[in-house]
Amino acid sequence: MSELKLSVSEIKELMDKMARTGLSGLTLKDGEFELSLKAEVMVTEGEAARPVVRPAAAEPAEPEPAEGSVVKSPIVGTFYAAASPDKPPFAPVGKAVAKGDVLFIIESMKLMNEVQSDFDGVVKKVLVENGQGVEYGQPIMVIE
C-alpha cells in the first residue's frame, strides 16, 4: 500500500491555491488516507466576499466559555498575541479593551490579519497559546 505524505505547509499551499483559483472543494485519497478541503465564502462588515478554505472534516471547536463575550478566529491560521516576539501582547489578561482595539493577529497564507474587538470590556481569558494553529470559529479570547 502506498502512503501519501503531505506536510502542513504543503496542505496550507493547497488551501492557498484553492482560495486564489476559486476551487470550491478538493479531496485527496490514497488507500485509507483521505484529505478533504472545502471552500466557504465569508463576508464581514465592510469587506468584499472572499473564499476561506478549511478542512471539511475539521475537529469540533473547543466548547465556548460560559461567561463573557467570546472572540473567535475569523480564519484558519496561526495565533500571535503580539506584533513581533519582542513586542508586548496587544491584549493580555486583565487589560481593558474598547471596540475596535486590536486583540491579536492571525497569520494565514503569509498574511498578517489583525483581529479587532467587537466589545468593550476587560480581557478575562486567552484560550490559545502564542504561535498555536487555530481553526475557523475557534474561541480565542473571552472579554467581560
Side-chain angles (χ1 to χ4, degrees):
M1 176 188 318
S2 62
E3 185 176 317
L4 184 62
K5 294 182 181 180
L6 292 172
S7 68
V8 172
S9 64
E10 290 170 322
I11 293 171
K12 286 182 178 181
E13 186 177 329
L14 281 172
M15 293 167 65
D16 180 41
K17 287 180 180 178
M18 284 180 63
R20 283 186 282 131
T21 61
L23 188 64
S24 63
L26 173 72
T27 301
L28 298 173
K29 290 183 182 182
D30 186 23
E32 293 181 17
F33 174 84
E34 181 175 332
L35 171 69
S36 294
L37 301 173
K38 179 177 120 181
E40 297 179 354
V41 175
M42 276 185 43
V43 179
T44 57
E45 197 172 309
E47 290 185 2
R50 60 189 164 107
V52 174
V53 181
R54 65 184 176 112
E59 295 181 21
E62 299 172 18
E64 291 186 26
E67 297 179 21
S69 300
V70 178
V71 180
K72 297 179 181 181
S73 177
I75 54 178
V76 173
T78 303
F79 167 83
Y80 293 108
S84 66
D86 60 332
K87 301 282 185 188
F90 290 110
V93 172
K95 180 177 181 182
V97 295
K99 185 175 180 175
D101 287 354
V102 175
L103 299 174
F104 52 87
I105 292 173
I106 300 291
E107 178 187 9
S108 181
M109 296 183 273
K110 300 181 183 173
L111 296 174
M112 298 297 184
N113 302 281
E114 291 183 344
V115 177
Q116 298 176 343
S117 180
D118 289 332
F119 319 102
D120 293 333
V122 176
V123 177
K124 290 297 180 185
K125 293 181 186 175
V126 178
L127 305 169
V128 295
E129 296 292 322
N130 196 48
Q132 179 180 336
V134 295
E135 297 293 327
Y136 167 77
Q138 179 178 342
I140 303 294
M141 188 175 283
V142 179
I143 298 175
E144 287 185 339

